Amino acid sequence: MVFLVLKSYDGGKRWERGRGYKDFASAARAALALRAQHPAIRYRVDVETVGLRPAVRKAVRSKRRQR
């Protein structure tokens, strides 16, 4: 998983991808520091899963009747 710092210049309507971090604490600290430097820009932290496959359901096989 990668924690991303997203930034918005238009009040939260569109979010641009920023830098990625390995843990949430580092990403949150970076977002707070950026918010202090640039108060007009909104920042938030989001998670991106990298390399994880979606869960695959097992196929249900129907047994054929033997006559």
Side-chain angles (χ1 to χ4, degrees):
M1 285 194 293
V2 176
F3 294 92
L4 300 172
V5 175
L6 302 175
K7 56 186 172 180
S8 176
Y9 296 103
D10 58 359
K13 293 179 184 176
R14 283 208 225 139
W15 293 94
E16 292 182 10
R17 182 180 174 160
R19 188 172 172 196
Y21 296 90
K22 291 184 179 182
D23 59 349
F24 180 79
S26 300
R29 273 190 245 119
L32 288 174
L34 288 169
R35 190 175 295 142
Q37 292 174 358
H38 309 284
I41 302 172
R42 294 184 68 181
Y43 294 95
R44 76 174 190 185
V45 178
D46 200 8
V47 175
E48 180 182 66
T49 55
V50 177
L52 296 178
R53 294 184 299 155
V56 178
R57 292 184 179 177
K58 293 183 179 179
V60 177
R61 296 181 184 146
S62 60
K63 295 183 180 179
R64 290 187 176 185
R65 289 186 178 178
Q66 295 180 354
R67 295 183 186 190

